[in-house]
Amino acid sequence: MALKKNPGELEVHYDSVHKAAQVFNGEKPFQKEKKILTTFSIEPSFKKELEEMFHDMGLGWAGGIRFALKEFSKKYAEK
């Protein structure tokens, strides 16, 4: 059985066309900044306390640290 092509029913997804144009033209859409890895030392007991607090907030370790740093920055930027 052969399929017939209907020339009147050409469906173009313009989102895909626009995305392809961005990729091949080198356009860069708004992007978040890349994160950088930082290290610091902390006592295991204090880390455990923080992990429990972050868990209660529904955050993992890295998310909790980012949240805490943002809140610290907000608090002390106002003064």
Side-chain angles (χ1 to χ4, degrees):
M1 181 168 122
L3 297 175
K4 246 188 198 184
K5 182 179 177 183
N6 293 335
E9 295 182 19
L10 180 61
E11 186 176 327
V12 177
H13 297 282
Y14 290 102
D15 292 337
S16 299
V17 172
H18 183 66
K19 179 71 174 173
Q22 284 180 338
V23 169
F24 292 110
N25 291 334
E27 293 178 27
K28 301 238 178 182
F30 175 73
Q31 293 179 341
K32 288 184 172 182
E33 283 186 299
K34 292 182 180 179
K35 293 181 175 55
I36 55 173
L37 178 64
T38 59
T39 58
F40 58 93
S41 298
I42 187 171
E43 294 89 6
S45 59
F46 184 56
K47 182 178 184 222
K48 184 69 175 164
E49 289 176 32
L50 290 174
E51 285 177 325
E52 289 172 3
M53 182 177 63
F54 296 155
H55 178 72
D56 292 342
M57 296 169 64
L59 298 170
W61 172 252
I65 293 297
R66 285 191 296 268
F67 174 79
L69 289 171
K70 286 178 187 175
E71 289 300 310
F72 179 85
S73 177
K74 284 180 195 175
K75 181 177 178 180
Y76 289 100
E78 296 171 358
K79 293 182 178 181

